[in-house]
Amino acid sequence: MRVATLVLTLLLGMSAAHATIDIYPLESDADRQRFQVLTKELRCPKCQNQNIADSNAPIAQDMRDEVHRLLVDGNTDEQIVDAMIARFGEFVTYRPVFDRRTALLWLTPVLVLLIGMGVVIGLVVRSRAQASLPPRTLSLEERQRAEDLLK
Amino acid sequence: MRRVLLFTPLALVLILGVMLYNGIGKDPNRLESALIGKPVPYFELASLEDPGQILRNEVFEGKVVLLNVWGTWCPACRVEHPDLVWLAEEKGIPIIGLNYKDNRDEAIRWLQTLGDPYETNLFDPDGRLGFDLGVYGAPETFIVDRRGIIRYKHVGVVDERVWREELKPRIQAYEQEVY
């Protein structure tokens, strides 16, 4: 059953991929590949949280057309993404550039990882330090007190 | 030291609280325009009313204007239309229309029945200038200063409140500017 679902999903995925290729004729497989990657990495400004490959919004349609046109005209991936950012802002790329505004966005995972590692290392060091101490025995007075308490 | 650590959850809650509180009321669908501070993109479009008349970027020179993106297919444009007429007639605000991805006859009929607040209307059936302006949902209204530079963009309906709070103070400030 699971295999059948997987096969079906793959087949459906393939037909969708072919559909995009048919509407946007491109010369080479490499260009087709680039077109797919670009439309997946560009975000639709109207229907947020969808990329322009998935969205049916008219603006996503326009953006796909423009990506196709720029690609056919021989622009690099970077030029195409820049052309979109110039119109719709940094928002449209799922991979924002690294600058002062986006520093927190990029660095938070690293920071969290470092804090987590710090905590783990701290815990390990502390438990080792405790384990290496000689087992503490009770002094005479303490033993006396314990016996009194237990009476 | 131990005791200070006990306050970490409280500190985290406070930080998160402030961050989330600031987000309340912010509309994530309103994106800042990438064109603020840039000139209106180059265009060559026919006038809506007169297909023979070609309009270029010069229409934006000499005064602070509103550039309103609209279409007869856009329900929210119908909502804001009376307010645009009010702005043009009562306040004397020059408004340039960008008729976006529309049908010429229907657009002209719309202006005849609902009133025409526009000084000029650019006819952009393919949405070329709209695309270059980063329009992602009509209605959108830009403020363009005397040099033809885009200074502000409002996404959504323009009403009396938007005029009073967002557009009017800015237009007045831009009119005072000396270049």
Side-chain angles (χ1 to χ4, degrees):
Chain A
M1 184 56 208
R2 202 175 280 174
V3 177
T5 322
L6 188 68
V7 169
L8 193 68
T9 321
L10 283 175
L11 281 174
L12 285 173
M14 272 168 67
S15 66
H18 278 287
T20 354
I21 292 167
D22 291 340
I23 305 170
Y24 295 101
L26 285 162
E27 293 271 308
S28 65
D29 275 340
D31 278 357
R32 275 188 279 275
Q33 182 68 33
R34 282 176 59 206
F35 182 76
Q36 298 230 341
V37 172
L38 279 167
T39 52
K40 277 193 185 124
E41 280 185 3
L42 288 166
R43 185 179 189 183
C44 169
K46 184 71 195 172
C47 33
Q48 302 182 353
N49 302 330
Q50 262 192 313
N51 58 30
I52 62 170
D54 285 341
S55 171
N56 290 321
I59 184 68
Q61 175 77 51
D62 288 354
M63 287 169 76
R64 284 197 295 268
D65 291 349
E66 184 70 6
V67 169
H68 180 251
R69 196 184 64 77
L70 291 170
L71 228 158
V72 171
D73 279 1
N75 289 273
T76 64
D77 291 358
E78 204 186 340
Q79 285 169 325
I80 296 174
V81 172
D82 284 349
M84 294 298 152
I85 292 176
R87 293 179 173 93
F88 299 98
E90 201 65 54
F91 179 86
V92 289
T93 166
Y94 273 119
R95 219 187 279 192
V97 292
F98 185 85
D99 64 16
R100 260 185 51 215
R101 280 178 311 124
T102 57
L104 204 59
L105 185 70
W106 281 104
L107 295 180
T108 307
V110 183
L111 276 175
V112 170
L113 200 69
L114 285 177
I115 291 172
M117 273 164 64
V119 168
V120 169
I121 290 172
L123 286 175
V124 168
V125 164
R126 191 185 296 168
S127 72
R128 285 238 177 112
Q130 252 159 22
S132 66
L133 283 176
R136 198 168 164 275
T137 46
L138 297 177
S139 64
L140 267 177
E141 293 105 87
E142 280 169 337
R143 187 175 290 270
Q144 190 59 53
R145 238 187 104 213
E147 270 168 16
D148 288 347
L149 282 171
L150 286 170
K151 263 179 202 162
Chain B
M1 184 59 205
R2 272 278 139 117
R3 220 159 258 192
V4 175
L5 276 179
L6 285 179
F7 287 95
T8 343
L10 183 70
L12 284 176
V13 164
L14 281 178
I15 293 171
L16 260 179
V18 169
M19 272 170 66
L20 294 175
Y21 182 79
N22 280 333
I24 291 177
K26 264 190 197 160
D27 183 355
N29 291 315
R30 286 199 182 157
L31 308 176
E32 203 178 300
S33 173
L35 282 104
I36 304 291
K38 303 214 173 96
V40 175
Y42 173 80
F43 67 90
E44 228 173 85
L45 291 171
S47 147
L48 175 68
E49 291 86 353
D50 175 11
Q53 188 193 358
I54 300 297
L55 301 164
R56 292 187 186 79
N57 294 58
E58 286 89 76
V59 295
F60 290 106
E61 272 163 31
K63 59 188 166 195
V64 181
V65 294
L66 291 180
L67 168 60
N68 177 252
V69 183
W70 67 285
T72 57
W73 47 267
C74 147
C77 300
R78 187 175 278 269
V79 173
E80 73 171 359
H81 199 80
D83 286 306
L84 293 181
V85 174
W86 168 74
L87 276 182
E89 285 176 1
E90 303 291 321
K91 304 282 172 186
I93 301 301
I95 307 175
I96 292 181
L98 175 63
N99 182 250
Y100 178 59
K101 289 191 179 175
D102 206 357
N103 171 297
R104 178 171 254 139
D105 294 335
E106 277 174 33
I108 291 174
R109 207 172 315 131
W110 158 298
L111 295 178
Q112 281 165 352
T113 44
L114 297 174
D116 183 357
Y118 303 107
E119 209 162 77
T120 320
N121 245 308
L122 311 167
F123 182 56
D124 188 15
D126 305 323
R128 196 61 238 173
L129 177 59
F131 190 76
D132 287 340
L133 280 168
V135 171
Y136 61 91
E140 291 187 14
T141 303
F142 296 82
I143 305 178
V144 182
D145 74 12
R146 272 179 286 164
R147 300 164 299 172
I149 307 278
I150 296 169
R151 302 296 293 270
Y152 186 74
K153 167 162 115 163
H154 172 81
V155 178
V157 170
V158 170
D159 54 19
E160 202 269 331
R161 191 194 60 79
V162 172
W163 161 250
R164 188 162 26 86
E165 290 174 10
E166 293 183 35
L167 304 179
K168 188 181 173 195
R170 290 191 169 86
I171 291 182
Q172 283 173 343
Y174 302 151
E175 274 170 348
Q176 301 296 318
E177 283 174 0
V178 184
Y179 308 117

